[in-house]
Amino acid sequence: MSAHSSQSHTSTSSTILEQVRQCAASVTRYPLDILTEHAQLEDELGIDSVKLAEIAAVIAREFHLPPDRLPRNGKARTLGAIAGAVTEALGTEPTPPLHVAPAQPPVAPVATVPAVVATKAGTGTADLLPRVRAVFARVTRYPEDLLTPHADLEDELGIDSVKQAEVMAVLMKELGLGDAPKPSQRLRTMAAIADAARALLPSTPSVPEARPRAPVHAAPAPLPSRTEQPFAGKVALVTGSGKGIGRVIATRLARAGATVVVNSFHSREDGEKTARDIVDAGGKALHLWGSVAQEEHLERMFSAIREQLGGLDLLVCNASNGLIGPFDRIAPRDWDKAFRTCITGTYECAMRARPLMAARGGGSIVTMSTSMSQRYMHDLGCQGVVKAGVESLTRYLAAELAPDGIRTNCVSAGPVHGDLLGMFPDAPERVARWESATPGGRLCTADDVADVTELLLGPKTQRVNGAIWVVDAGLSGTVDGLLPAARAS
C-alpha cells in the first residue's frame, strides 16, 4: 500500500470512528468526550445489550449496512471494534460524512400481540419464527431486524439466560402451553426455540388470540406532608436507585426531608425519571450517572456531591450485580463484575463518603445484602456468595469509621415482590413456593425493605452499628422453598 493510500485509509477509518461515536451519542445522550475509541461499552460506560442493539441499528442505517455485518455482544466491547467492523464491511473506499439526526426519546414498543394462526403438528418452524421474534423484540426492546433466526442469543445478541427465561415465559403463555422447553436443552437461537415450541403444540386446537393490553402510565404520587421530617437538611446518596428497591428508598428519603442524589448506570433513563418524579412531587433530588465499579465515575460523582451539595450525611449502597443461575452458568467475568460492584463499589463509596460525612459531624451508611448469603437458594449462588462478603465488609466499616461518627449497618433482604423476582427461571412457581414456606404466607415488598433502611439511617438507631438486619418475613428460617422444587418435594 502506498503512503498516499495508507493515509487515505487512516483518514477514512478516523472518519468512520467519529461517525460511530456520533451514532452512539445520539442513542445514549452521553457526552462525546466519554465515548472514546477503547472505552468498554458495558463495564465502563454502562451501555447494556439492549442499548447496544439500538446503537447497532442506528449505525447500520447510517452506513446502509445489514445489521448482521456488525459485531455483537462480546465482539462489540468498544466503539473502536464496531468502527473497525464498519470499515471492513465498507472496504477501503472513502465514505462521505453522514449527519446523525439529533437524539430522539426512545419510543416504547406498543404492547400488542400479533394475531395467532392455528398451528398443527407438522407445520413448518417458519410459521412460528415471526411470533418468536416478535416476543423477543417486545420483551428485550431489541430492533426486530437484529433478531435473526440463527443468531446466538447469548454470544451474539447479549440476551442472557435470565432474559431468555422471561421471553420463554411470555411465549409459552401466548402459545397456551403449560410447559416450556427445559433449560438443559440450551436453545441458543430463535430457530431452535421455534422448533422446540412447535413440538409442544397440540395437533388440532388453535391457540386463542391474546388481546393487547394498553400501557399504564402512573403519575408520580405527591409527597405527603409530614409534621416531622427526620432528614430535613440532610444529603443522601442512594446508589442504583433508578428503579426497584433503590427507587423506593430514594423516594422515601426525599419524603422524609432529605436532598437525594439518585444514581444509576445501566438504567440512566430510569434514574433521571426517579429524580424528576421526586422533584415533581415536591422533594429535592439530583441525578448522577455512573458506575460504582469504575473509579473515575466515582471520582466524578463524589466531586459533584461536594461541589453542588456541600457534603454528604447518608449513604445507601444499593447498586448490585450478580448473575442469577446455577454455578455451571457463571463465568469468571461474572464473578469479577459482581465483586467489583458489590464489594469494591461499596467499599469505595464508603471511603469517599467518609471525609464528606466527617466534616459534617458524622453520618450513616446502609449496605444491602440478601438473607440467602448465609443459606442456600437455587440459582442465587453468585449473589449469595458476594453478598456474604458485603456483610463482612459492613462489620469492618462499622469499626473503622466509628471514630468519625459514622455508623454502618446492613439490610439483608429476602425475595421481594418486584422486577427482580421476574428474573428467576420459573418465577411464578418459585414465588408460590417461597410464599408457602414463609411464616405468614407473604413475601416482603420494597417498602418493607425501605422501612428498615430508613430506620437504620435515622436518629432512633444511634447505638446500632455493624448490625445485619434480616428482612425476609422469616423465609430464611425455613428450608422448604429454598431448594429446587425437585429437592424440596
Side-chain angles (χ1 to χ4, degrees), residues 13-150:
S13 300
S14 177
T15 300
I16 289 174
L17 174 61
E18 289 308 306
Q19 291 171 233
V20 167
R21 293 177 65 219
Q22 290 285 350
C23 288
S26 75
V27 173
T28 63
R29 295 184 293 115
Y30 284 8
L32 271 174
D33 60 348
I34 71 169
L35 294 171
T36 58
E37 179 179 2
H38 301 295
Q40 295 289 313
L41 295 176
E42 182 176 1
D43 294 346
E44 295 182 57
L45 299 179
I47 300 175
D48 60 17
S49 57
V50 175
K51 189 64 69 177
L52 181 58
E54 295 178 27
I55 294 172
V58 171
I59 292 172
R61 286 196 300 268
E62 291 295 328
F63 288 96
H64 307 292
L65 292 172
D68 59 7
R69 296 294 302 274
L70 298 179
R72 305 179 189 181
N73 197 30
K75 298 178 181 178
R77 296 192 186 278
T78 67
L79 293 178
I82 296 175
V86 171
T87 303
E88 182 179 352
L90 294 175
T92 57
E93 295 181 10
T95 304
L98 299 171
H99 301 286
V100 179
Q104 299 294 328
V107 180
V110 180
T112 58
V113 180
V116 175
V117 180
T119 309
K120 298 183 180 181
T123 301
T125 305
D127 292 332
L128 279 178
L129 272 174
R131 298 187 55 206
V132 172
R133 291 179 68 197
V135 172
F136 266 91
R138 189 164 71 253
V139 175
T140 65
R141 296 187 292 115
Y142 275 39
E144 197 164 328
D145 57 355
L146 289 181
L147 298 172
T148 53
H150 300 289

Side-chain angles (χ1 to χ4, degrees), residues 11 18 23-24 37 61 77 164 207-208 217 316 331 405 408 415 425 466 469:
S11 176
E18 289 308 306
C23 288
E37 179 179 2
R61 286 196 300 268
R77 296 192 186 278
Q164 289 178 39
V207 183
H217 303 284
V316 180
T408 309
W469 283 28

Side-chain angles (χ1 to χ4, degrees), residues 280-361:
D280 289 345
K284 293 175 285 187
L286 165 71
H287 176 256
L288 292 179
W289 172 85
S291 167
V292 300
Q294 301 296 325
E295 188 173 358
E296 60 272 22
H297 290 201
L298 286 173
E299 194 63 39
R300 219 167 31 236
M301 287 167 50
F302 278 88
S303 293
I305 292 171
R306 182 176 59 253
E307 294 166 7
Q308 297 183 41
L309 301 175
L312 189 66
D313 303 283
L314 312 171
L315 169 64
V316 180
C317 297
N318 178 69
S320 185
N321 196 320
L323 184 72
I324 293 177
F327 271 3
D328 60 7
R329 297 295 301 273
I330 302 172
R333 185 168 179 266
D334 299 316
W335 286 109
D336 181 58
K337 289 165 63 177
F339 191 93
R340 284 193 295 115
T341 301
C342 299
I343 302 290
T344 307
T346 295
Y347 167 79
E348 290 290 343
C349 283
M351 298 309 290
R352 282 174 165 78
R354 181 180 192 172
L356 299 181
M357 291 180 173
R360 294 162 77 95

